[in-house]
Amino acid sequence: MLADAYGIPSRPLVPEAEHPLKYLDYYAGTGRPGVAFARSVDEAIELGPVAAAEADIDAIAQAFPRDLWGGSATSPDNSSADYSELRRESWRAREALALAVGREASDSAAQALLRVDQLVAQQPDDLVRVLELCSTSAVPGGAALSAAVRAHLDGSEPHGETDARLSRAVRRVAGKADLSVIARVAATGKVSLARLIARGEKIEDDGRAHLGDEEAVAPPKASRLPRVLRRRG
């Protein structure tokens, strides 16, 4: 990448300490998806330099989140409104990359494509379902979205970035669908409370109290004791 920046001919070597995915991504993004990685300096010299990078500088500048000269920052959309479309576009890009690399892919390219598939497979299905339902192209169904939120929270551990993303997505559509208490609590940013309710460690009235619902009734402490004991066996 540094060589490209200075216009110096180069050939990548197979990395020893890290996965080659980011390098394949870089070369594919600069018009060279089928680049072959050399296993030694001698092989790199024999293969010769890769083709020069092809980059749309204007598109890169437009996508950059900050004006380096003026210092003003743009406000990126963090609501996952375009999640569904971006997911489809990324899969089409992955298929195009696989075709460009071809059947005789180098080991590095094959490993990078496998890594992409592994990362996709690691995404929690329930979270993907929530983000899909909250996308602009979807018509949010209150029951389906509420069920997906509950399933994700019940089966996941707290994670600040992921929880914030869930909250932003649900908040964006909260006024368009009849959501459950758990989903509405998550939309306020109180994902920790929503997760406790989903797991039965808190009750929905705790969520209603947080939301300020008029029907919220704080149950007497004595009524909570059997619930706690049942969960502890």
Side-chain angles (χ1 to χ4, degrees), residues 4 8-12 26-27 30-32 35-36 47-54:
D4 281 348
I8 299 174
S10 64
R11 168 70 58 177
Y26 166 71
Y27 281 110
T30 50
R32 300 163 293 178
V35 65
L47 290 172
V50 298
E54 298 177 6

Side-chain angles (χ1 to χ4, degrees), residues 143-168:
L145 179 54
S146 296
V149 171
R150 183 179 195 124
H152 170 68
L153 294 177
D154 186 37
S156 66
E157 295 303 318
H159 185 278
E161 184 178 342
T162 303
D163 287 353
R165 186 178 190 186
L166 172 88
S167 178
R168 289 193 299 265

Side-chain angles (χ1 to χ4, degrees), residues 2-48:
L2 183 61
D4 281 348
Y6 284 94
I8 299 174
S10 64
R11 168 70 58 177
L13 296 176
V14 176
E16 296 182 359
E18 56 187 343
H19 200 279
L21 174 60
K22 68 178 183 181
Y23 300 107
L24 180 65
D25 179 65
Y26 166 71
Y27 281 110
T30 50
R32 300 163 293 178
V35 65
F37 288 69
R39 297 185 176 278
S40 66
V41 174
D42 289 338
E43 185 180 4
I45 295 174
E46 181 181 347
L47 290 172

Side-chain angles (χ1 to χ4, degrees), residues 22 25-26 40 46 55 59 75-76 81 96 110 115 134 151 171 199 201 208-210 226:
K22 68 178 183 181
D25 179 65
Y26 166 71
S40 66
E46 181 181 347
S75 300
R115 181 58 177 160
C134 292
R171 184 184 309 128
R199 293 180 173 181
E201 297 175 28
R208 293 191 181 96
H210 167 72

